[in-house]
Amino acid sequence: MNMKLETIETDVLVIGAGPAGSTAAKHAAMGGAEVLLVDKKSEIGTPKRCAEGVSKNGLEKLGIKPSHRWIAAEMDRVRLVSPSGIDVWLNQENVHLPETGYNLERKVFDKHMAMDAARAGSQIMVKTLAKELTLKDDYVLVKAESMGNHIEIKSKIVIGADGPESRVGRWAGLKSTSKPKNMESGVQFEMVGVELEDTRAVEFYFGSVAPGGYAWIFPKGDDIANVGLGIINSMTSKNAYHHLLDFVRECKATQKAVSVEFNVGGIPVGGPLNEFVTDNVMLVGDAAGQVNPLTGGGIISGMQAGLIAGEVAANAINEGNCSLENLKEYETRWVEENSLSFQKYLKAKEYLLSLSNEELDSIARAFQGSDFERIGPMELLGKLVKVSPKAMVKLGKIF
Amino acid sequence: MIISEFCMYCGECAGVCPRNLIEVGENTLKFGQKPCKNCQICIQVCPVSALEVEG
């Protein structure tokens, strides 16, 4: 029996084949690096941990051509629902809406993003779980279990795209542990028989229905939709699953709906880590906290990170210098592109979470039937402050 | 830690574990060798209440 441990050597190892990891692998390979992408699951993209919404221009900026294979439905409206059921409608043309445009079939999308990485030259190993990571002088040693065998991977750079678990960052000495108050618990049913007001509208429900977060309905064509919610556990005595059962029981749209899938996942909503790069290691996506703190959406921002991290990794390999100094460019570029909007979203979220059911209702009443096309941002704020004076202090700066 | 059948292996517990002790596989959840300080944050955040202290 051969007991010798198999050792694989590569330039760039990407751990986790979600959209952020696959995008990193693709762009590192396109830059000429030797790339290995590993995922612990036997099927990339399954199970999903996500409501599946992305913005159209987000994908466009990443250079990804929309495909009918992974787009479940197109969205152009948003319906915001207050605790007593007063709704406010927003149209995509009038208001820039994050995470609105396409609702994906993530299981197919993720696999296709991994395929793009492979076509660019990356190797992929599925059913491969990273178990340990050690920083050496000029490489990283990762111990993993692959298809039941123990293996070692020596890589000059490791890109951690390992999701909200984010073990890679902590193994490398980065402070990537989420505080419980910054980790939303997300639960979701994919349902059929959902009776939607508009099959092209994403719906958000606010208030005590989901303490610390909100409930959502993301339509996926016909009578199919992802129905879910996110909560902060310290703000409620019930777990997320029980909040979801209550929501589905009460919500008008789901009275006759039947679930065909149950999804669960942590959503890091505290904003990006202060540092997500160190010598030989970079983090991307949920692992780096690159999630919109207001919406909990992270597909596009994670993929943007993957693109930059992949390019920077390839350059570092070409230059033969994978130190923090040389990889830092990734962090700088991502922060430049995102930090301002993330700070605004964080402020908006703090304000939203401070509102009681009654306050939410009176705001919804004030804006019900509003023509947002004709309202400028200052007028909008003025109208909001009339019904909710604290909006001035909490939101004044971001307008 | 007792892990119930309801565990979905979502990894939220692993993300908040201050000692990085929890390994989330495709269909496994393992608590590591380093001593657990019994802070129970993992139990609090679980979306489906699948974790329980032993004894």
Side-chain angles (χ1 to χ4, degrees):
Chain A
M1 195 161 63
N2 184 6
M3 295 295 286
K4 201 176 167 293
L5 208 59
E6 189 195 348
T7 303
I8 297 168
E9 289 189 33
T10 186
D11 290 336
V12 179
L13 169 67
V14 182
I15 299 177
S22 289
T23 307
K26 174 177 150 185
H27 287 273
M30 281 164 63
E34 195 183 357
V35 182
L36 172 62
L37 171 63
V38 300
D39 197 280
K40 67 184 177 188
K41 297 186 296 280
S42 50
E43 181 175 11
I44 289 169
T46 307
K48 68 177 189 268
R49 292 174 176 172
C50 170
E52 308 187 282
V54 289
S55 67
K56 287 183 187 177
N57 72 348
L59 280 186
E60 203 179 294
K61 270 197 214 154
L62 289 158
I64 293 165
K65 249 180 76 191
S67 161
H68 67 277
R69 286 176 181 255
W70 42 256
I71 293 172
E74 281 190 53
M75 297 294 114
D76 42 31
R77 299 185 86 191
V78 169
R79 178 175 178 242
L80 306 170
V81 187
S82 81
S84 68
I86 305 161
D87 54 6
V88 176
W89 291 83
L90 306 174
N91 291 324
Q92 182 70 50
E93 309 105 67
N94 311 345
V95 190
H96 169 71
L97 306 163
E99 276 79 61
T100 315
Y102 296 126
N103 288 348
L104 303 176
E105 200 63 72
R106 274 290 298 271
K107 291 166 192 171
V108 186
F109 179 75
D110 285 26
K111 222 182 270 178
H112 276 256
M113 294 304 111
M115 287 174 190
D116 279 354
R119 289 188 187 111
S122 170
Q123 294 296 312
I124 300 179
M125 290 168 71
V126 293
K127 198 71 182 165
T128 300
L129 174 67
K131 297 180 81 84
E132 241 182 87
L133 178 149
T134 326
L135 299 180
K136 301 287 184 185
D137 279 343
D138 55 352
Y139 69 95
V140 184
L141 180 68
V142 173
K143 291 188 178 174
E145 196 178 322
S146 179
M147 298 286 192
N149 298 316
H150 291 279
I151 62 164
E152 281 187 346
I153 305 165
K154 277 183 170 181
S155 185
K156 291 172 191 154
I157 294 175
V158 168
I159 298 180
D162 55 334
E165 294 96 312
S166 159
R167 301 196 86 197
V168 169
R170 291 178 286 178
W171 283 330
L174 291 164
K175 293 188 179 110
S176 66
T177 307
S178 286
K179 292 194 180 93
K181 72 172 170 68
N182 290 332
M183 183 72 107
E184 240 177 63
S185 281
V187 285
Q188 171 177 277
F189 287 124
E190 184 166 332
M191 305 188 94
V192 66
V194 183
E195 293 170 312
L196 297 155
E197 295 257 337
D198 180 341
T199 54
R200 290 176 70 90
V202 176
E203 301 191 355
F204 297 105
Y205 295 76
F206 300 97
S208 55
V209 65
Y214 61 87
W216 63 77
I217 299 182
F218 276 71
K220 293 183 73 173
D222 302 327
D223 57 346
I224 307 164
N226 288 324
V227 179
L229 53 81
I231 60 157
I232 297 290
N233 287 280
S234 58
M235 296 178 73
T236 166
S237 55
K238 271 188 291 192
N239 70 19
Y241 170 64
H242 283 107
H243 274 284
L244 180 60
L245 290 183
D246 289 348
F247 177 67
V248 167
R249 194 175 48 241
E250 300 295 328
C251 180
K252 238 174 93 183
T254 49
Q255 291 306 304
K256 291 176 190 157
V258 174
S259 89
V260 291
E261 187 174 315
F262 179 52
N263 309 122
V264 180
I267 313 162
V269 290
L273 304 182
N274 289 330
E275 289 176 330
F276 41 86
V277 178
T278 184
D279 287 325
N280 308 82
V281 175
M282 298 187 267
L283 302 182
V284 295
D286 283 10
Q290 291 157 342
V291 174
N292 181 327
L294 176 64
T295 65
I299 301 174
I300 299 296
S301 47
M303 290 175 78
Q304 273 177 353
L307 188 152
I308 304 168
E311 286 179 0
V312 169
N315 286 340
I317 295 295
N318 288 335
E319 289 162 14
N321 174 2
C322 304
S323 67
L324 166 62
E325 191 192 10
N326 217 22
L327 300 183
K328 190 90 182 167
E329 184 197 338
Y330 152 54
E331 197 174 277
T332 314
R333 277 172 60 189
W334 190 87
V335 168
E336 257 169 39
E337 281 180 35
N338 292 284
S339 85
L340 199 65
S341 61
F342 270 51
Q343 281 164 18
K344 287 184 179 181
Y345 286 130
L346 209 50
K347 284 260 174 260
K349 182 182 103 157
E350 280 167 18
Y351 168 66
L352 187 68
L353 292 191
S354 76
L355 299 171
S356 66
N357 279 359
E358 292 70 31
E359 288 172 298
L360 286 161
D361 280 334
S362 58
I363 293 167
R365 218 171 283 125
F367 283 96
Q368 195 176 29
S370 281
D371 184 356
F372 286 93
E373 207 166 354
R374 292 166 186 276
I375 305 181
M378 288 322 287
E379 203 184 329
L380 191 86
L381 181 63
K383 203 168 168 179
L384 182 61
V385 168
K386 255 188 208 164
V387 280
S388 174
K390 67 183 170 190
M392 195 65 210
V393 186
K394 299 237 183 201
L395 295 178
K397 281 186 203 145
I398 72 172
F399 272 86
Chain B
M1 200 66 68
I2 300 170
I3 303 153
S4 89
E5 271 296 304
F6 200 3
C7 175
M8 302 281 296
Y9 314 104
C10 75
E12 185 166 343
C13 53
V16 296
C17 174
R19 296 174 67 80
N20 200 10
L21 293 179
I22 308 176
E23 180 187 283
V24 193
E26 184 171 24
N27 288 304
T28 56
L29 192 73
K30 285 183 193 156
F31 283 73
Q33 301 294 320
K34 266 196 294 180
C36 162
K37 298 271 184 181
N38 200 28
C39 70
Q40 303 195 8
I41 292 174
C42 54
I43 297 179
Q44 291 158 27
V45 300
C46 178
V48 298
S49 308
L51 298 175
E52 205 183 306
V53 190
E54 274 168 270

